[in-house]
Amino acid sequence: MSSQQEWNERYSSSDLVWSVGPNVFVEELTTDMTPARVLDVAGGEGRNALWLADRGWDATLVDFSAVALERAQTLWAQRTAPRGAGSLAIQQSDVVADSLGDQEFDLVLVCYLQIPPLSRRVALQSSARAVAEGGTLIVIAHHSDNLHGGVGGPQNPELLYSEQDVLDDLAESDWMIVRAERATRAVVVNGDERIALDTVVVLRRPKPER
């Protein structure tokens, strides 16, 4: 697993490691949601959290890289576009070792969390516990098939996972499966459009009957 220092160095070596705008699936899946409380797990420089906060969400961005979080805070302060009533909170945490909360968020995002299977399971289960009753968990990842059938992403198969891996990691939770599939994402490489293969899982925690 990459260390905190390695990620700090990676973020320090570039103005932006990830793109400015949100992930295409995050945009697609959340556009029609009513803004509420969202947790962006291992969200790096905050591209998804910032975009959601701009649209009225109260966003909490969690990452273990202080450099990434500082950059997210700077980007939020520099926003010039009209903002909704949303907010951005920054929390430096290790998503494997630290608790992410107990049913505190209406939406929890886990996007491209690239860690080995045992650590991933711990992080996903912690993320799941943070989802409130009636809330949604969205997991997006580089699919296992992307190594040979797609473009980009880690070249280490241990860091790739499928929709079934996500469901298996959360098998002991009582979730409504809204979407669980291998999805395609267009990527431009050297001026040519290529296809990346992603895992997209959307789960909803049911509200208990009163």
Side-chain angles (χ1 to χ4, degrees), residues 18-66:
W18 314 115
S19 62
V20 175
N23 171 263
V24 61
F25 297 114
V26 170
E27 184 173 4
E28 171 194 335
L29 293 166
T30 64
T31 292
D32 293 331
M33 288 185 176
T34 301
R37 303 161 299 172
V38 57
L39 175 67
D40 188 5
V41 176
E45 299 152 316
R47 62 173 180 151
N48 295 314
L50 289 165
W51 184 81
L52 288 165
D54 270 343
R55 281 150 185 79
W57 290 78
D58 291 321
T60 297
L61 171 63
V62 172
D63 202 278
F64 71 174
S65 169

Side-chain angles (χ1 to χ4, degrees), residues 1-208:
M1 189 190 308
S2 297
S3 70
Q4 186 179 62
Q5 181 178 352
E6 288 171 332
W7 275 104
N8 280 335
E9 291 173 355
R10 183 175 181 184
Y11 283 117
S12 297
S13 66
S14 172
D15 287 339
L16 276 178
V17 172
W18 314 115
S19 62
V20 175
N23 171 263
V24 61
F25 297 114
V26 170
E27 184 173 4
E28 171 194 335
L29 293 166
T30 64
T31 292
D32 293 331
M33 288 185 176
T34 301
R37 303 161 299 172
V38 57
L39 175 67
D40 188 5
V41 176
E45 299 152 316
R47 62 173 180 151
N48 295 314
L50 289 165
W51 184 81
L52 288 165
D54 270 343
R55 281 150 185 79
W57 290 78
D58 291 321
T60 297
L61 171 63
V62 172
D63 202 278
F64 71 174
S65 169
V67 176
L69 294 175
E70 182 178 354
R71 183 166 294 162
Q73 189 70 67
T74 299
L75 290 170
W76 177 245
Q78 292 174 344
R79 296 299 241 215
T80 56
R83 292 191 282 204
S87 62
L88 179 70
I90 300 294
Q91 179 180 326
Q92 186 176 1
S93 294
D94 183 325
V95 299
V96 176
D98 301 328
S99 170
L100 296 174
D102 183 14
Q103 299 192 24
E104 297 174 13
F105 296 92
D106 304 287
L107 171 64
V108 174
L109 300 176
V110 184
C111 297
Y112 303 106
L113 181 63
Q114 300 165 188
I115 55 179
L118 292 179
S119 296
R120 182 194 73 224
R121 174 167 292 195
V122 171
L124 288 181
Q125 291 178 354
S126 180
S127 300
R129 286 192 293 273
V131 179
E133 293 178 358
T136 301
L137 173 66
I138 295 176
V139 180
I140 300 166
H142 299 287
H143 199 282
S144 303
D145 293 344
N146 194 64
L147 187 61
H148 301 294
V151 64
Q155 299 303 294
N156 179 353
E158 190 178 41
L159 304 181
L160 306 175
Y161 46 105
S162 70
E163 64 276 18
Q164 190 59 52
D165 291 326
V166 175
L167 296 179
D168 289 346
D169 285 346
L170 300 173
E172 296 180 4
S173 303
D174 182 21
W175 292 99
M176 180 192 316
I177 301 173
V178 178
R179 179 173 174 181
E181 65 181 25
R182 188 185 78 172
T184 59
R185 174 171 50 89
V187 179
V188 177
V189 180
N190 298 324
D192 296 325
E193 185 172 290
R194 305 277 298 280
I195 294 298
L197 302 178
D198 282 355
T199 292
V200 177
V201 176
V202 182
L203 305 174
R204 186 164 298 129
R205 183 189 295 281
K207 290 184 178 180

